[in-house]
Structure formats: structure tokens, C-alpha cells
């Protein structure tokens, strides 16, 4: 289970990397690798061609060495051929006196230590002349041997058994034969020289053979006349094709398995006298170190390609990517809110990256200076607004004080009610003004806070002959309104409170309870609900021109584009407000 989990995690990371965008370092390394790939492939092919050329040179050297070795083996046979051609040109080769012919052949044989005998054989197989020993009466060679020599018509070499000598023993020897002709080019006999196998083997002993090589001389019947191996004796090292008697033995070079199953390179050359020389050498198998060195030389361009790609990626990372990362980190810090983020000076970075860092630092400094100037201007503006707010509040207080002094001269309750209405409306205006300029944002007013402050202010200043009413305001959600809409809504609440308190009754209620609830509607807008503990709102919607606050109330509803409903118990008023922001 653990291995399956590890494999699943590894496959997941691999899948994520497959969809991820390659980094800049990877893209630079890949592009450089693509550029260098043809050059490295060309060098790879060149190295491989050189290796093949060296192998071809080694193969040609092996063939040339074999041909040279076999060419040296034909020198002894060539001497025999020259000797027989020289003898055939002597008058003794056409004997009229047998004794003179025998004596001549005896002297020739004595001068060549490798020659055991020199004979002249007639076509019928009888020995006409012989040296060093005279031919016995009626002695004849094998007719087939003479016939084969005549058929060849050129210098040829045969293996044959020598007749028994004085000691009664016979010897296997090589017969070098050359047909003789009369003036009309008709064959008259065969001139033959008997050589020992030892004489032919001595020529192979004088050759310096390389290791794991072999040399052999074969006649036309594929009989091994002599052979020699170098190093550990090979055994049946001859090519396997020699076992097929139907295949003609021809000169050439080929690679084949020997009779012992070892693959060798064979060089076969035709030598004088129908003799074939076979030279064999096992392929030069390089050592493990040499083979590893060869593979390394062939793979060296590929290694250079891989190393160049990796080094290019690393160099690009140090010279370009790291400076760019420093610029990127500084930009991210600046975006996150760190206005002091700057790119440090890096003299090792490229000029383009240094220029980018300088531009960013300059831009950040300019933005910081502009922000500081804007903040200073904003603080100055806020100070001016606070000063204006302070002066407006002072003016409203002065007006309220003047109205309060003037109301003392009122002689009738109607005159006193007029002054109270004006003071109540000035108080609403001051409350809205304070709520608007209490914060730093002058664009909107929190209606919940505004109406709560308005209720508290009216509760402190409003009193009737039946007692001071209790006003409450509840707003579970925050609802904002524009300053004009907030002022109109404040006047509306003030008029609703005035309408409710103007009809209070002392019966069982020393003080009345007025509750406001402001909530947000799901479809947008808000709902303002006023509940009074006495049914005093029955005449709220009646249009009576003698009561000015009722006309003002209806105008405020139209100005807010609101809708009002009165409950059946005359204790609840619901005002549906649109979006006021």
C-alpha cells in the first residue's frame, strides 16, 4: 500500500508538471539544445564514421598482412617452377643418352638440398631419366598422377608416395611437375621434382605470425600440405566451407566460422603449382578499456551537447533569471502594499535588467511622492471640512438659541408650537450634519446610526404636558443613504414623532413609547416601521390644510419616492424606501 501511495503521488506531481509552463531557464536550455543539436549530431556522425574508418583500415591491414604472408609462401614454389622451366630448356630433357641425362639430373639434384629426386617421365608412365639414382628397369609411376600433370599443362604440385628405396621404405613427398613438349607443342612427358613436406613446412616457419592467426598450404584436392598456428594451437581452424567438396576453392577474402566454431577473417590466395594458401586471423577484439574509450569518444559530442545545455541554463539563471526574480519580488512586495519596496543595485546583472530595475525604482518613487502629496492635500481638505462643519454647527446652535429666546415672547400656545417646530427641524438638520461629517467619507450616511442619534436628541429635547416620550431605534443591518436622502428621511422621522406626540392622551399613559425598526428588504431598498403604544395615528393620512406638518409630511414621502401604509390599529406606520445610495 505504501508503494502504491508513493507511485500515485509521483504520478500526480508528474501530471502537474506536464501542465505547468516551463520556466525561463528551461526554455533557454531547450532553445540552445535545439541550436546545438545539429552540430552535435554532425560531430557524432563524424566520430562514428572515423570509428568505422579505423575498423576498415584494420580489416584492410589484416587482409594485406595475409596476402603478404601468402605471397612469401609462393617463393619456394616459384623457385621450383623456374628450376623445372630451366631444366626443360636443357638438351638433357630430350635424352638420346640415358647415362648423360641421369648424370645431369644427379648434379642438379645435388645442388638443391630440398630436392630428393629429379625425373623425366614418359607419357606411358615409364621413367626415362632420373637423378640421383638411376631408374630401375620397368619402374613406373601412377598413371593417374601423370595424366593429371599433363592435363594441367602448367607447373603443378601433387602429393605422392615415393617408391621404396634400397632400405625398402617409402616416403610421402610433394611432386612438382611440369609437362614437356616437342617442337610441334605435343606433350612428350612430364618433368617432375620430388620435395619433402619438411621443405615446404620450412617456408611457413620463417613467417612471423600475429597472435590468434594461422597459416596453411593446400593442394587442389584440399589436402593440407602444411600448417602453422601462433599462440595456443587452434585445432580445426580451417573455414567450414572446406568441408563442402562441391564448392570450388577460390582466391578471396571472407569472414566465416571455422570448423571449431570460431569466427575468423580468412584470406585465400592461389600459389604456383595449383597450391592454395589460407591465412586466418581472429578479429581484433578490443579490451574493455579500449571499448569503453571508443564508446566515450563516439558519445563525447552528445555529452558536450548535454553539458552545454545544462551550463547554458545555469548561466542564464545566474545572469538573467536571478536578477529578474529580484525585480519580480520587489514588484510583488510593492503590489502587496509595501511602498518602500525597491530593487537593489546589482552590477553583475545585464544592462536590460538594470534598466528595468531603475525604471521600477523611479516609478515607485514617483508614485510614493504623488501619494504623499495627495495625502497631504486630503488632510488639508479634511481640516477645511472640519472647520466648515464646526462653523455650521456653531451657526445652528446660535440659531437654536435665538429661537429659544424668541419663543419666550410667545403669547399664545399656537405661537409657541411654531417655535418648537422650527427648533425640532433645526435639530434634525444638525443631527444629519453631525452624522455626515463624523467620519472621513462624506459620500454616504449610515441610516441606523443617524436615526438612533436623532431619536436620542428628540427624546432629550421633547416633552409634553403628559410627560417625556420614550424613543427607541433598532437597525440589525447597515444601510447607507446619500446626504440629501438622509436629510429628507431625518425630517420624515421628525414629523412622524411630532404627529405621534401631538395626539397623546394622559389616560393611563404618563409617557408614551415610540419604537422604530429599520431593516433591509431582500429585493433592494429598506423598510422603516414606527410603532406607538397608543392608537394616535388615525388622522395621519387625512389631508387637513390647517395642519402644516401634515402637508410637509406628504411632501417628504413624495421626495423620497417612498410608500407609506398605516396599520388598522392606528399604532403602526410602515414606510417602504427605495435604494437611497
Amino acid at each position: 500500500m505504501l508503494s502504491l501511495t508513493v507511485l500515485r503521488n509521483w504520478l500526480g506531481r508528474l501530471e502537474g508538471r506536464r501542465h505547468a509552463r516551463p520556466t525561463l531557464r528551461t526554455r533557454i536550455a531547450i532553445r540552445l539544445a535545439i541550436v546545438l543539436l545539429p552540430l552535435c549530431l554532425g560531430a557524432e556522425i563524424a566520430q562514428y564514421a572515423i570509428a568505422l574508418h579505423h575498423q576498415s583500415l584494420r580489416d584492410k591491414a589484416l587482409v594485406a598482412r595475409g596476402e603478404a604472408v601468402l605471397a612469401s609462401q609462393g617463393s619456394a614454389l616459384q623457385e621450383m617452377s623456374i628450376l623445372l622451366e630451366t631444366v626443360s630448356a636443357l638438351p638433357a630433357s630430350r635424352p638420346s643418352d640415358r647415362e648423360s641425362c641421369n648424370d645431369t639430373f644427379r648434379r642438379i639434384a645435388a645442388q638443391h638440398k630440398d630436392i630428393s629426386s629429379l625425373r623425366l617421365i614418359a607419357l606411358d608412365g615409364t621413367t626415362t631419366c632420373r637423378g640421383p639414382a638411376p631408374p630401375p628397369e620397368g619402374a613406373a609411376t601412377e598413371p593417374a598422377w601423370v595424366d593429371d600433370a599433363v592435363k594441367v599443362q602448367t607447373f603443378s604440385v601433387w602429393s605422392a608416395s615415393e617408391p621404396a628405396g634400397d632400405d625398402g621404405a617409402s616416403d610421402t613427398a610433394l611432386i612438382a611437375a611440369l609437362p614437356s613438349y616437342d617442337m610441334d607443342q605435343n606433350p612428350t612427358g612430364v618433368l617432375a621434382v620430388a620435395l619433402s613436406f619438411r621443405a615446404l613446412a620450412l617456408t611457413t616457419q620463417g613467417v612471423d605470425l600475429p597472435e590468434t592467426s594461422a597459416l596453411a598450404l593446400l593442394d587442389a584436392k584440399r589436402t593440407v600440405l602444411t600448417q602453422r598456428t601462433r599462440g595456443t594451437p587452434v585445432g580445426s581452424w580451417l573455414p567450414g566451407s572446406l568441408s563442402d567438396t562441391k564448392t570450388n576453392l577460390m582466391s578471396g577474402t571472407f569472414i566465416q566460422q571455422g570448423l571449431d566454431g570460431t569466427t575468423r577473417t580468412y584470406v585465400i590466395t592461389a600459389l604456383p603449382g595449383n597450391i592454395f594458401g589460407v591465412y586466418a586471423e581472429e578479429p581484433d577484439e578490443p579490451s574493455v578499456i579500449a571499448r569503453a574509450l571508443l564508446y566515450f569518444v563516439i558519445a563525447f559530442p552528445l555529452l558536450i551537447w548535454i553539458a552545454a545545455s545544462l551550463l547554458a541554463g545555469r548561466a542564464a539563471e545566474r545572469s538573467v533569471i536571478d536578477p529578474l526574480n529580484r525585480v519580480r519580488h520587489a514588484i510583488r512586495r510593492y503590489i502587496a502594499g509595501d511602498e518602500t519596496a525597491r530593487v537593489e543595485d546589482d552590477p553583475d546583472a545585464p544592462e536590460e535588467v538594470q534598466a528595468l530595475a531603475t525604471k521600477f525604482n523611479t516609478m515607485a518613487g514617483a508614485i510614493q511622492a504623488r501619494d504623499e502629496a495627495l495625502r497631504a492635500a486630503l488632510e488639508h481638505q479634511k481640516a477645511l471640512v472640519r472647520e466648515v462643519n464646526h462653523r455650521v454647527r456653531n451657526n445652528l446652535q446660535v440659531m437654536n438659541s435665538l429661537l429659544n429666546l424668541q419663543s419666550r415672547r410667545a403669547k399664545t400656545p399656537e405661537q409657541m408650537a411654531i417655535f418648537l417646530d422650527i427648533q425640532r427641524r433645526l435639530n434634525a438638520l444638525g443631527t444629519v450634519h453631525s452624522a455626515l461629517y463624523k467620519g472621513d467619507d462624506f459620500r454616504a450616511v449610515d441610516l441606523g446610526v443617524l436615526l438612533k442619534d436623532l431619536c436620542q436628541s428628540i427624546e432629550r429635547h421633547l416633552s409634553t404636558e403628559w410627560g417625556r416620550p420614550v424613543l427607541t431605534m433598532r437597525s440589525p443591518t447597515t444601510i447607507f443613504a446619500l446626504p440629501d436622502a438622509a436629510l429628507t428621511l431625518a425630517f420624515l422621522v421628525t414629523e412622524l414623532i411630532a404627529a405621534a406626540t401631538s395626539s397623546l392622551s394622559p389616560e393611563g399613559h404618563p409617557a408614551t413609547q415610540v419604537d422604530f425598526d429599520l431593516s433591509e428588504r431582500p429585493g433592494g431598498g429598506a423598510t422603516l416601521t414606527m410603532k406607538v403604544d397608543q392608537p394616535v395615528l388615525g388622522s395621519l393620512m387625512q389631508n387637513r390644510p390647517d395642519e402644516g406638518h401634515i402637508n410637509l409630511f406628504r411632501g417628504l414621502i413624495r421626495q423620497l419616492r417612498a410608500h407609506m401604509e398605516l396599520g388598522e390599529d392606528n399604532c403602526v406606520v410602515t414606510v417602504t424606501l427605495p435604494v437611497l445610495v
Side-chain angles (χ1 to χ4, degrees):
M1 293 298 295
L2 181 60
S3 60
L4 291 178
T5 304
V6 172
L7 179 60
R8 191 179 297 108
N9 295 335
W10 182 80
L11 291 177
R13 290 195 299 268
L14 184 62
E15 182 68 17
R17 292 181 180 178
R18 187 173 68 87
H19 295 288
R21 184 182 179 186
T23 61
L24 179 60
R25 174 183 177 180
T26 304
R27 294 198 298 271
I28 292 176
I30 291 175
R31 291 182 180 179
L32 182 62
I34 292 174
V35 172
L36 294 179
L37 182 59
L39 298 177
C40 292
L41 287 179
E44 190 84 9
I45 294 173
Q47 292 285 6
Y48 183 70
I50 291 173
L52 292 180
H53 179 65
H54 288 169
Q55 181 64 36
S56 176
L57 291 179
R58 287 194 296 269
D59 294 341
K60 291 180 179 179
L62 187 150
V63 173
R65 183 165 55 249
E67 291 176 349
V69 169
L70 294 177
S72 65
Q73 301 308 302
S75 60
L77 298 173
Q78 187 68 27
E79 290 179 1
M80 291 297 101
S81 175
I82 295 174
L83 175 62
L84 290 179
E85 290 179 358
T86 304
V87 172
S88 66
L90 295 176
S93 62
R94 302 174 182 86
S96 57
D97 183 2
R98 179 173 293 184
E99 287 298 328
S100 176
C101 178
N102 291 337
D103 184 60
T104 302
F105 280 11
R106 187 166 48 251
R107 289 197 304 268
I108 294 174
Q111 294 175 359
H112 297 80
K113 60 181 180 178
D114 294 332
I115 297 177
S116 60
S117 65
L118 176 60
R119 290 172 288 178
L120 179 61
I121 303 172
L123 294 178
D124 58 0
T126 60
T127 302
T128 305
C129 184
R130 178 174 178 172
E137 293 294 334
T141 60
E142 298 177 3
W145 178 83
V146 176
D147 292 339
D148 291 339
V150 174
K151 290 178 181 179
V152 173
Q153 298 181 359
T154 58
F155 174 75
S156 59
V157 179
W158 309 94
S159 59
S161 297
E162 281 290 301
D166 297 337
D167 55 358
S170 62
D171 185 20
T172 302
L174 298 176
I175 304 299
L178 180 66
S180 60
Y181 300 90
D182 57 11
M183 299 298 294
D184 296 329
Q185 296 299 319
N186 295 319
T188 59
V190 176
L191 192 62
V193 174
L195 301 173
S196 64
F197 279 97
R198 184 183 62 84
L200 192 59
L202 288 176
T203 60
T204 61
Q205 296 298 324
V207 178
D208 185 14
L209 294 178
E211 295 291 337
T212 66
S213 60
L215 172 65
L217 298 180
L218 290 76
D219 61 7
K221 296 180 180 180
R222 307 188 185 188
T223 302
V224 178
L225 304 179
T226 181
Q227 66 174 334
R228 180 193 168 200
T229 60
R230 176 66 186 274
T232 303
V234 179
S236 301
W237 59 269
L238 294 173
S241 59
L242 291 179
S243 61
D244 186 6
T245 58
K246 297 181 180 180
T247 304
N248 295 328
L249 194 60
M250 301 178 63
S251 300
T253 302
F254 53 88
I255 299 176
Q256 193 178 89
Q257 282 189 352
L259 297 176
D260 58 353
T262 303
T263 301
R264 297 180 181 88
T265 300
Y266 292 92
V267 180
I268 299 180
T269 302
L271 301 178
N274 257 3
I275 298 297
F276 289 89
V278 180
Y279 176 82
E281 185 174 339
E282 294 182 14
D284 185 13
E285 292 294 336
S287 62
V288 177
I289 298 177
R291 189 181 296 109
L293 181 61
L294 177 61
Y295 292 157
F296 175 77
V297 170
I298 294 176
F300 184 72
L302 181 61
L303 298 177
I304 291 296
W305 175 64
I306 296 175
S309 301
L310 296 178
L311 291 177
R314 180 56 182 166
E317 181 179 14
R318 294 188 60 183
S319 61
V320 178
I321 299 176
D322 289 345
L324 285 177
N325 284 336
R326 286 191 286 270
V327 175
R328 183 176 63 179
H329 293 335
I331 293 175
R332 287 182 175 178
R333 287 171 51 202
Y334 188 83
I335 293 175
D338 186 3
E339 297 181 355
T340 62
R342 297 294 185 274
V343 182
E344 299 180 358
D345 186 21
D346 185 5
D348 297 332
E351 295 182 359
E352 294 79 2
V353 179
Q354 292 183 6
L356 177 63
T358 302
K359 290 293 184 182
F360 170 75
N361 293 338
T362 304
M363 180 194 68
I367 293 176
Q368 184 179 10
R370 187 193 63 180
D371 291 345
E372 291 177 355
L374 290 176
R375 281 193 289 268
L378 181 61
E379 291 296 330
H380 179 68
Q381 183 180 7
K382 288 181 179 179
L384 292 178
V385 170
R386 292 189 186 94
E387 182 64 23
V388 171
N389 178 38
H390 181 69
R391 292 180 182 273
V392 170
R393 290 178 61 185
N394 289 341
N395 291 335
L396 290 176
Q397 290 178 359
V398 169
M399 292 175 63
N400 195 11
S401 299
L402 292 175
L403 288 173
N404 191 22
L405 292 175
Q406 191 66 26
S407 64
R408 295 177 183 178
R409 298 181 181 181
K411 297 180 180 180
T412 62
E414 290 78 6
Q415 293 178 351
M416 179 62 68
I418 293 172
F419 283 108
L420 290 177
D421 288 341
I422 296 174
Q423 285 180 318
R424 185 174 64 251
R425 291 162 184 167
L426 283 177
N427 180 62
L429 179 61
T431 302
V432 173
H433 184 80
S434 298
L436 180 62
Y437 292 100
K438 183 179 296 183
D440 295 333
D441 190 2
F442 307 139
R443 295 173 296 178
V445 178
D446 187 351
L447 293 180
V449 176
L450 170 65
L451 297 181
K452 186 178 296 185
D453 293 344
L454 182 62
C455 290
Q456 292 177 357
S457 177
I458 293 176
E459 184 181 4
R460 286 194 302 268
H461 294 89
L462 182 63
S463 63
T464 64
E465 58 181 325
W466 315 117
R468 177 174 295 177
V470 178
L471 305 178
T472 62
M473 177 67 198
R474 191 182 73 89
S475 179
T477 58
T478 303
I479 301 174
F480 291 93
L482 296 175
D484 293 341
L487 180 60
T488 303
L489 184 61
F491 285 154
L492 174 62
V493 171
T494 302
E495 296 303 322
L496 287 174
I497 295 174
T501 57
S502 62
S503 304
L504 290 177
S505 172
E507 298 178 359
H509 295 280
T512 188
Q513 178 76 28
V514 181
D515 298 323
F516 287 93
D517 184 271
L518 181 65
S519 61
E520 187 176 8
R521 289 189 301 159
T527 300
L528 178 65
T529 303
M530 183 182 75
K531 295 181 181 180
V532 185
D533 59 351
Q534 298 184 40
V536 295
L537 302 177
S539 61
L540 187 65
M541 299 300 295
Q542 297 178 4
N543 188 8
R544 292 183 296 174
D546 58 335
E547 297 184 6
H549 64 276
I550 296 299
N551 293 331
L552 178 60
F553 170 75
R554 290 181 178 275
L556 294 174
I557 290 293
R558 289 192 300 270
Q559 186 175 353
L560 287 172
R561 299 189 301 277
H563 176 72
M564 188 188 75
E565 293 181 357
L566 180 63
E568 295 180 356
D569 54 357
N570 295 328
C571 294
V572 179
V573 174
T574 303
V575 180
T576 303
L577 300 171
V579 179
L580 301 178
V581 179

